[in-house]
Amino acid sequence: MTGTPLHAPTVQIYRIYIKATPEAIWDAITRPEWTERYGYQSPATYDLRPGGRYQAFASEEMKAMGAPDVAVEGEVIESDPPRRLVQTWHPVWDAETAAEPVTRLTYEIEAGEAGVTKLTVTHDVTGASHVGAMVAGDLPNAGGGWSELLSDLKTLLETGKPLAG
């Protein structure tokens, strides 16, 4: 939304505890058969080698609103399954987000006690204020950002069902 004041932090950190193995969380983040079950219900694909391609595809609902087939693109910087994934993240579903610089996204997965795993998502949105506000959940009609997506992921892994539907 052009003209909306954007005050999201330039480095956003989200931490969530999930009763699932690190491997299950890794798979839910990196495998399209999982990514289409939570969040925006759209598949994402990874070539998990450094320099490999990341693509998140638009859902049918997103396409109906004018989004291209590939909604978010990026490149894998570091991949250490099932502990750490660093990638670039660049939404291209509209001209405003596509015009902003590429951002950096890091997933850190750490096994804990009693089958609970800590997932930390760090999103460096420096220079990308619109994207930063969006992923913080601060833009009207743009969803709940990382907080909502990670809550949906947690719910799916712990119950077998996403938050909605």
Side-chain angles (χ1 to χ4, degrees), residues 85-142:
L85 175 62
V86 183
Q87 68 178 87
T88 63
W89 195 86
H90 190 221
V92 293
W93 58 71
D94 65 27
E96 190 168 8
T97 56
E100 289 196 330
V102 171
T103 62
R104 183 180 176 108
L105 181 61
T106 302
Y107 296 93
E108 295 174 293
I109 303 167
E110 185 179 334
E113 295 181 23
V116 176
T117 301
K118 177 171 66 172
L119 170 60
T120 303
V121 175
T122 304
H123 199 161
D124 185 342
V125 293
T126 301
S129 60
H130 184 78
V131 170
M134 182 200 53
V135 299
D138 291 342
L139 290 183
N141 303 315

Side-chain angles (χ1 to χ4, degrees), residues 2-153:
T2 305
T4 302
L6 304 173
H7 303 290
T10 57
V11 177
Q12 300 177 23
I13 300 172
Y14 301 90
R15 190 167 290 115
I16 192 162
Y17 296 83
I18 305 172
K19 191 158 187 75
T21 66
E23 293 80 9
I25 295 168
W26 179 268
D27 287 349
I29 292 167
T30 63
R31 293 184 180 228
E33 64 269 21
W34 278 98
T35 59
E36 66 187 8
R37 295 178 61 195
Y38 66 93
Y40 295 100
Q41 283 84 43
S42 57
T45 60
Y46 282 92
D47 174 348
L48 289 168
R49 297 172 293 181
R53 176 186 261 184
Y54 161 75
Q55 292 183 305
F57 297 92
S59 65
E60 291 306 316
E61 182 180 349
M62 294 168 72
K63 288 180 192 177
M65 295 187 300
D69 286 340
V70 176
V72 184
E73 57 190 18
E75 180 180 316
V76 172
I77 298 168
E78 178 185 340
S79 176
D80 180 17
R83 292 176 283 284
R84 182 175 166 86
L85 175 62
V86 183
Q87 68 178 87
T88 63
W89 195 86
H90 190 221
V92 293
W93 58 71
D94 65 27
E96 190 168 8
T97 56
E100 289 196 330
V102 171
T103 62
R104 183 180 176 108
L105 181 61
T106 302
Y107 296 93
E108 295 174 293
I109 303 167
E110 185 179 334
E113 295 181 23
V116 176
T117 301
K118 177 171 66 172
L119 170 60
T120 303
V121 175
T122 304
H123 199 161
D124 185 342
V125 293
T126 301
S129 60
H130 184 78
V131 170
M134 182 200 53
V135 299
D138 291 342
L139 290 183
N141 303 315
W146 280 114
S147 293
E148 184 177 0
L149 187 134
L150 293 172
S151 294
D152 200 10
L153 170 64

